[in-house]
Amino acid sequence: MPHLATSAIVCAVRAHGEHGAIVRVMTPHNGLVTGYVQGGRSRHMRPVLQPGNIVQATFRSRTADQLASLTVEMIHSRAPLLAEPLPAAAIDWTCALTAAALPEENGYPALHQALDAVLTAVEAAPAARGWAVALVRYELLLLAELGFGLDLDHCAATGDTEDLRYVSPKSAAAVSAAAAMGYEARLLPLPPFLVRGGEAGWPDILDGLRLTGHFLERGIFVDRRRDVLAARERLLDRLKRAVA
């Protein structure tokens, strides 16, 4: 990618050298792209290079194999939210998940749109009820885009489309209440909002996060990048405190 100019969402920033930073951003059409920002650790650039911010990103490189140089200009800052523990944890996890899970320079327009929607929801309603459902749906979409999608349309055992209550932790397929009888403890609860849509209460939201968490650990974070999952644990801990 010799040259690319696009809006982008900052997802991850890593110090490089004495003054620079390696930055990963999510773009609308090119997916996750990485570049080197000279002076990225400066007082001027630190507020710009915050996860969740929207920037105008310009990448330049001499060859396709070379790490591109990156210049950024602020379009929209979400940095004020980072002073609030719960919104900060949500932004931290969602951006860290995106940066760690996606391959480089593969377009995921639906994921870019969904990521922006989750971050916009966090910004519009810092109270978690306003964005937690969107976060669960984002995790489900990311799993599907990477080939680990859940089959929630019908019961794996009977084919029924009604009264779907559980998900098999092995097959990632829905199971009806009748088919699950006697095996409920071995299955993961399927919250109704993932089948019928609409709003959700906290028990269902937490069940949704447990469901997606199981398949994220099994499919994407198997024996690697455990530090990324620590960001999710911080978010879950703060959510549980908020609803206690």
Side-chain angles (χ1 to χ4, degrees), residues 167-242:
V167 174
S168 166
K170 294 183 179 180
S171 70
V175 181
S176 68
M181 193 172 299
Y183 298 93
E184 293 90 344
R186 302 182 186 180
L187 303 171
L188 298 166
L190 173 58
F193 75 91
L194 291 181
V195 179
R196 299 193 294 266
E199 298 182 355
W202 278 116
D204 286 341
I205 290 171
L206 294 175
D207 279 345
L209 289 168
R210 280 190 285 270
L211 179 66
T212 53
H214 171 81
F215 291 103
L216 285 170
E217 289 195 46
R218 192 187 76 169
I220 295 176
F221 296 106
V222 180
D223 297 328
R224 63 190 177 98
R225 294 182 285 200
R226 305 295 299 182
D227 57 321
V228 179
L229 285 175
R232 194 175 196 271
E233 291 301 319
R234 286 192 295 272
L235 172 60
L236 291 176
D237 182 61
R238 290 175 183 177
L239 280 172
K240 291 172 183 176
R241 291 183 188 179

Side-chain angles (χ1 to χ4, degrees), residues 78 81 86-88 90-91 94 117-127 130-132:
R78 294 188 171 107
L81 290 171
L86 192 49
I91 293 172
T94 311
V118 172
L119 296 174
T120 298
V122 173
E123 187 174 21
W131 49 259

Side-chain angles (χ1 to χ4, degrees), residues 5-23:
T6 179
S7 63
I9 301 169
V10 177
C11 288
V13 181
R14 177 166 58 88
H16 184 79
E18 189 173 352
H19 302 292
I22 294 176
V23 181

Side-chain angles (χ1 to χ4, degrees), residues 10 12-25 33-51 58-59 67-72:
V10 177
V13 181
R14 177 166 58 88
H16 184 79
E18 189 173 352
H19 302 292
I22 294 176
V23 181
R24 309 185 84 186
V25 300
V33 186
T34 300
Y36 173 75
V37 178
Q38 187 172 5
R41 299 172 64 190
S42 69
R43 182 179 300 178
H44 170 71
M45 290 305 302
R46 280 199 300 269
V48 179
L49 297 177
Q50 293 290 334
T58 303
F59 295 87
L67 179 64
S69 66
L70 170 61
T71 58
V72 297

Side-chain angles (χ1 to χ4, degrees), residues 53-156:
N53 283 355
I54 302 175
V55 298
Q56 180 65 25
T58 303
F59 295 87
R60 292 184 177 88
S61 63
R62 294 180 180 178
T63 68
D65 297 329
Q66 181 186 41
L67 179 64
S69 66
L70 170 61
T71 58
V72 297
E73 295 180 4
M74 182 76 81
I75 294 177
H76 179 70
S77 174
R78 294 188 171 107
L81 290 171
L82 301 181
E84 300 293 332
L86 192 49
I91 293 172
D92 184 32
W93 161 243
T94 311
C95 291
L97 169 63
T98 305
L102 298 186
E104 290 279 333
E105 298 182 21
N106 284 315
Y108 295 100
L111 275 177
H112 176 274
Q113 184 177 9
L115 173 62
D116 186 55
V118 172
L119 296 174
T120 298
V122 173
E123 187 174 21
R129 278 289 296 273
W131 49 259
V133 167
L135 175 58
V136 175
R137 293 192 179 281
Y138 180 71
E139 293 182 343
L140 278 178
L141 177 62
L142 185 141
L143 284 164
E145 290 280 333
L146 294 180
F148 301 100
L150 281 63
D151 183 0
L152 305 180
D153 294 331
H154 60 275
C155 175

